[in-house]
Amino acid sequence: MKQENYIPRQIEQTIIKLTSGFPCVAITGARQAGKTTLAKKLFPDKPYVSLEDLDQREFATNDPRAFLDRFPDGAILDEAQRTPALFSYLQTRIDNDGRMGLFILTGSQHFHLTETITQSLAGRTALLNLTPFSMKELSLTSRLSDDPDEAILTGGYPPLFSRNIDPHSWFENYTGTYLERDVRSVVNVRDLMTFRQFIRLCAGRVGQLANLSSLGAECGVSHNTAKSWLSVLEASAIIFFLHPWFRNINRRLVKTPKIYFFDTGLLCNLLGIREENHLRYHPQRGSIFENLVVVEAMKERLNEGKNPDLYFFRDRSGFEIDLIVDDGQHLDAVEIKSGKTVTGEFFRELSRWKDIAGDNAGKTFLVYGGKEKYHREGHTILPWNLSSQITDPGF
């Protein structure tokens, strides 16, 4: 991204703060989420090395001491998970040096980077997850559409805001080039066409319970293979799981997580949705809109370097709350409706939740497809583009 087009990231202050208390800060996240751009912007005086470069990777692997000796004041090591053998030497280096904020690591595969850090740099590295742009980031720079359907279709990947490129073409290339590349490096997938079908099946079940047996059966793979492939998509920061909340309430509750995507633009592309009119009347529009709101809350927490502490609630009778925010003292409840007109029916679940949660009940929110923020019947009504206020009421 060109410097003049740089969109400030919410996570910037979190990173700067952590560099004062950790020798290393690791930034993980999906490919093309802006990790390299962010690291270079925040640390312009640090040397930058991409370990995707074969020459640099061979140097770091074959002679790690000499490789690190080139950077007496630290460096940005991009795609650091590509050289796991380097991390033991990096541990010795930072222990002997003693300075904080010495190295900035980035990686596109959360699983590999986290595993390596846990083995060699535990307690020495702060790990953060950078997502595609949040609606809040785009809104603060006047780049968020006023139309929720347009915002959903565009998503938040940085290249779509810095290049003159058709989103459909970009997403098709992204799926083919980056997803399949990451998949091959993590797990042995013999039939990429089947894997692509699997991804599309996941998109078709967004906001639904992750039924591994059903997912596997629909594309002809085993339960264990489906579980492995979901883990790959999660490690590549393409999907995440929203887990059910089930503590301290004496009810029979569902304990299977739901599937959501980190980017609604990619989600729509996988579903074959190309235009706003197509999305507006699509049978899954409600689930896609729900994904938009849930992922915005997730981004807000990740950008602050916090555990998400986001859940959903569903009991065996079918009663459900779309999103639960656990603040450690109370449980805030969120209902999500894609319609632009608020009706009294929208509050039925929220009112019932207060009875079920009792003393645990916190604030209640209704996020909808309209434009006004107001209060009604003891609930806070939020327009879709202010979804971040679920976890950040001060915004």
PDB file of all heavy atoms in Angstrom, residues 128 301-308 391:
ATOM      1  N   LEU A 128       0.010 -11.014  18.425  1.00  0.00           N
ATOM      2  CA  LEU A 128      -1.188 -10.273  18.043  1.00  0.00           C
ATOM      3  C   LEU A 128      -1.706 -10.777  16.705  1.00  0.00           C
ATOM      4  O   LEU A 128      -0.944 -11.273  15.876  1.00  0.00           O
ATOM      5  CB  LEU A 128      -0.878  -8.776  17.926  1.00  0.00           C
ATOM      6  CG  LEU A 128      -0.465  -8.067  19.219  1.00  0.00           C
ATOM      7  CD1 LEU A 128       0.085  -6.694  18.905  1.00  0.00           C
ATOM      8  CD2 LEU A 128      -1.650  -7.967  20.163  1.00  0.00           C
ATOM      9  N   ARG A 301     -11.829  -6.479  19.672  1.00  0.00           N
ATOM     10  CA  ARG A 301     -11.104  -7.091  20.784  1.00  0.00           C
ATOM     11  C   ARG A 301      -9.674  -7.450  20.382  1.00  0.00           C
ATOM     12  O   ARG A 301      -8.729  -7.238  21.142  1.00  0.00           O
ATOM     13  CB  ARG A 301     -11.845  -8.350  21.264  1.00  0.00           C
ATOM     14  CG  ARG A 301     -13.269  -8.090  21.738  1.00  0.00           C
ATOM     15  CD  ARG A 301     -13.291  -7.205  22.974  1.00  0.00           C
ATOM     16  NE  ARG A 301     -12.902  -7.920  24.150  1.00  0.00           N
ATOM     17  CZ  ARG A 301     -13.644  -8.018  25.251  1.00  0.00           C
ATOM     18  NH1 ARG A 301     -14.820  -7.442  25.308  1.00  0.00           N
ATOM     19  NH2 ARG A 301     -13.210  -8.675  26.291  1.00  0.00           N
ATOM     20  N   LEU A 302      -9.494  -8.021  19.209  1.00  0.00           N
ATOM     21  CA  LEU A 302      -8.153  -8.401  18.761  1.00  0.00           C
ATOM     22  C   LEU A 302      -7.258  -7.179  18.599  1.00  0.00           C
ATOM     23  O   LEU A 302      -6.061  -7.229  18.909  1.00  0.00           O
ATOM     24  CB  LEU A 302      -8.242  -9.175  17.445  1.00  0.00           C
ATOM     25  CG  LEU A 302      -8.899 -10.560  17.515  1.00  0.00           C
ATOM     26  CD1 LEU A 302      -9.010 -11.162  16.120  1.00  0.00           C
ATOM     27  CD2 LEU A 302      -8.119 -11.499  18.435  1.00  0.00           C
ATOM     28  N   ASN A 303      -7.818  -6.077  18.108  1.00  0.00           N
ATOM     29  CA  ASN A 303      -7.021  -4.868  17.929  1.00  0.00           C
ATOM     30  C   ASN A 303      -6.549  -4.287  19.260  1.00  0.00           C
ATOM     31  O   ASN A 303      -5.564  -3.554  19.317  1.00  0.00           O
ATOM     32  CB  ASN A 303      -7.821  -3.810  17.164  1.00  0.00           C
ATOM     33  CG  ASN A 303      -7.918  -4.133  15.682  1.00  0.00           C
ATOM     34  OD1 ASN A 303      -7.047  -4.792  15.127  1.00  0.00           O
ATOM     35  ND2 ASN A 303      -8.986  -3.682  15.052  1.00  0.00           N
ATOM     36  N   GLU A 304      -7.246  -4.617  20.335  1.00  0.00           N
ATOM     37  CA  GLU A 304      -6.829  -4.173  21.661  1.00  0.00           C
ATOM     38  C   GLU A 304      -5.907  -5.180  22.325  1.00  0.00           C
ATOM     39  O   GLU A 304      -5.486  -4.973  23.474  1.00  0.00           O
ATOM     40  CB  GLU A 304      -8.071  -3.947  22.539  1.00  0.00           C
ATOM     41  CG  GLU A 304      -8.942  -2.797  22.066  1.00  0.00           C
ATOM     42  CD  GLU A 304     -10.227  -2.678  22.874  1.00  0.00           C
ATOM     43  OE1 GLU A 304     -10.483  -3.573  23.712  1.00  0.00           O
ATOM     44  OE2 GLU A 304     -10.943  -1.690  22.669  1.00  0.00           O
ATOM     45  N   GLY A 305      -5.599  -6.272  21.635  1.00  0.00           N
ATOM     46  CA  GLY A 305      -4.734  -7.297  22.196  1.00  0.00           C
ATOM     47  C   GLY A 305      -5.396  -8.106  23.289  1.00  0.00           C
ATOM     48  O   GLY A 305      -4.716  -8.696  24.138  1.00  0.00           O
ATOM     49  N   LYS A 306      -6.720  -8.174  23.272  1.00  0.00           N
ATOM     50  CA  LYS A 306      -7.466  -8.869  24.320  1.00  0.00           C
ATOM     51  C   LYS A 306      -7.976 -10.220  23.823  1.00  0.00           C
ATOM     52  O   LYS A 306      -8.148 -10.428  22.616  1.00  0.00           O
ATOM     53  CB  LYS A 306      -8.673  -8.032  24.766  1.00  0.00           C
ATOM     54  CG  LYS A 306      -8.319  -6.699  25.396  1.00  0.00           C
ATOM     55  CD  LYS A 306      -9.585  -5.946  25.753  1.00  0.00           C
ATOM     56  CE  LYS A 306      -9.269  -4.602  26.413  1.00  0.00           C
ATOM     57  NZ  LYS A 306     -10.515  -3.843  26.717  1.00  0.00           N
ATOM     58  N   ASN A 307      -8.237 -11.123  24.774  1.00  0.00           N
ATOM     59  CA  ASN A 307      -8.976 -12.328  24.427  1.00  0.00           C
ATOM     60  C   ASN A 307     -10.369 -11.908  23.982  1.00  0.00           C
ATOM     61  O   ASN A 307     -10.984 -11.038  24.617  1.00  0.00           O
ATOM     62  CB  ASN A 307      -9.080 -13.270  25.627  1.00  0.00           C
ATOM     63  CG  ASN A 307      -7.754 -13.912  25.970  1.00  0.00           C
ATOM     64  OD1 ASN A 307      -6.931 -14.187  25.096  1.00  0.00           O
ATOM     65  ND2 ASN A 307      -7.525 -14.142  27.252  1.00  0.00           N
ATOM     66  N   PRO A 308     -10.883 -12.491  22.913  1.00  0.00           N
ATOM     67  CA  PRO A 308     -12.184 -12.038  22.412  1.00  0.00           C
ATOM     68  C   PRO A 308     -13.314 -12.121  23.440  1.00  0.00           C
ATOM     69  O   PRO A 308     -14.111 -11.192  23.561  1.00  0.00           O
ATOM     70  CB  PRO A 308     -12.445 -12.968  21.223  1.00  0.00           C
ATOM     71  CG  PRO A 308     -11.086 -13.376  20.766  1.00  0.00           C
ATOM     72  CD  PRO A 308     -10.251 -13.459  22.014  1.00  0.00           C
ATOM     73  N   THR A 391     -18.492  -3.746  21.982  1.00  0.00           N
ATOM     74  CA  THR A 391     -17.373  -4.002  22.899  1.00  0.00           C
ATOM     75  C   THR A 391     -16.627  -2.724  23.261  1.00  0.00           C
ATOM     76  O   THR A 391     -15.734  -2.778  24.100  1.00  0.00           O
ATOM     77  CB  THR A 391     -16.378  -4.995  22.278  1.00  0.00           C
ATOM     78  OG1 THR A 391     -15.893  -4.472  21.029  1.00  0.00           O
ATOM     79  CG2 THR A 391     -17.046  -6.329  22.021  1.00  0.00           C
TER      80      THR A 391
END
